Amino acid sequence: SLTLVWFRDDLRVEDHEALSAACGDGQVIGLWIRECRGDDGLGPRPLGGAARWWAHESLRVLETELAQLGIPLLFAAGSAADIVPQAAADLKVDAVRWSRRYAPAARRLDAQIKTDLADAGRAVHSHTGALLVEPWTVSPQGGDFYKVFTPFFNAVRDREVGEVLPLPDEQSPLTQADRKHLDNHSWVRDLDDLGLLDGTDTGSGSFASARTPQWWRTTVAGHWNPGCREAARELDCLSDGLDGYADSHDVPADPDSTSGLSPRLRFGELSPRQLLAAALDIPEVRDDDRQAWIRQLYWREFSWHLTYHLPAVESEPMRPEFASFPYEDDLEALDHWCSGTTGIDLVDAGMAQLWQTGWMHNRVRMATASFLTKNLLIHWWHGEQWFWDTLVDADEANNPVSWQWVAGCGADAAPYFRIFNPERQRERFDPDYEYVGRWLGRGPGGLTRAERSQGDREPIVDLKASRQAALAAYDRMKSEA
Ligand code: FAD
């Protein structure tokens, strides 16, 4: 029998349940669609600029990896609700398989497509792949879903997640005639014609227009090698990121302080199960380092748990009282933040790292996000959208949930008055100006003593006064609630 595997955020060939099951049934054809959200709001959030670049590169690798298994990968662009049933009919497939996704608007679309395919008499199977814990399989006693991380983690940490699946066997290749037939359909596009590297259609605010599509291909590309082949090599080096993790994961200057695997997870070049299995299998790593890292993997699970249950997580605060928070959206200050010219070293260095590489260390993400939402009193939407467009790991769950957490309106956020002071953060986590020096272009050894005392840029806000203003705004919100 012939199966269509619809790839989405699972751009890998190993530990891929849908692909393995399809290969077990017979011949396989792969499909990837550059989806647009329809007027009905169904479908995934449109990819930001950095993610589009990553997807394009990663798909090229997937195409090669699948070809080695004898599986062609077809590309299309447009509404998945139209394309998937059309593709299934044109290719005369018996079944369609995919890995499940969990954002509410994408799930509703998948459900609709599933019904259409079933009505046309085709078998449809969805599989796990992106998560260790599917959101509907866990709930607190007497409640609908977990809103606090620790009880969630305690409920799921010891669950069996199954064995990592091996690479499927090679397929008997399609005949020349069948191959030719594949490309004849009106919906089939070349990967290069999907527009993933064009500068338009970011779905983001005015600031993204400052960046040309070439940017991703030149500057950011120098820092990454997208695709499941390189992801597998990085997984083999996981011990570098895990070694000392418990003590040093907050040191942004050290490239091995964390794993750097977030874009691999975002695009499913690696499954969380592969990561978990690899972490459990490194004998030379101390157990507290291992456990601290695994805990972070479950933070990602928790973000998806919340996103599954909260359809508007990218636009509505989890704590409803924050809907009336008196933000002061100063667009000039926002521009300073985006371009890393706030005059606050750690913030500017973080925004420079993001701009240059499409990635930022977690400690600095927290500091930059706190500065935007609390010191500048700018709505978290703006920062979330900028990250969405510039991060190679921009994730429909982790990004908005983390922004809400920092802004104080997230379900499990720290109390609002615990405001990060970016200068104190720099003193604690970058005492020798190594990180700041690297990203602000002050030479390999960080800042010289003279440069440190010089303070060549005036901060755009006074940290103390703006902290007080944030607390006053918070009080105002509470008194009006
Ligand atoms: P490691 O420390 O090696 O951790 C391993 C994996 O665990 C990560 O790849 C990630 O999948 C997960 N993880 C680690 N920390 C967190 C966390 N705090 N919350 C949720 N999952 C975590 N992460 C994204 O993947 N995509 C985003 O769009 C994103 N946006 C963020 C925005 C803000 C404002 C903040 C504060 C954090 C954001 N994060 C996001 C979470 C975190 O910063 C990144 O996951 C982490 O920096 C990735 O680096 P790493 O792979 O080296 O992590």
Side-chain angles (χ1 to χ4, degrees), residues 245 258-262 265 293 296 362 365 393 395 398-399:
Y245 189 84
T258 67
S259 70
L261 290 175
S262 48
L265 270 171
W293 189 78
Q296 292 312 109
N362 182 58
R365 292 188 202 202
D393 65 20
D395 179 292
N398 265 357
N399 199 39

Side-chain angles (χ1 to χ4, degrees), residues 309-321:
H309 288 286
L310 297 165
V313 76
E314 78 194 48
S315 56
E316 282 173 22
M318 292 182 223
R319 289 172 59 186
E321 66 272 27

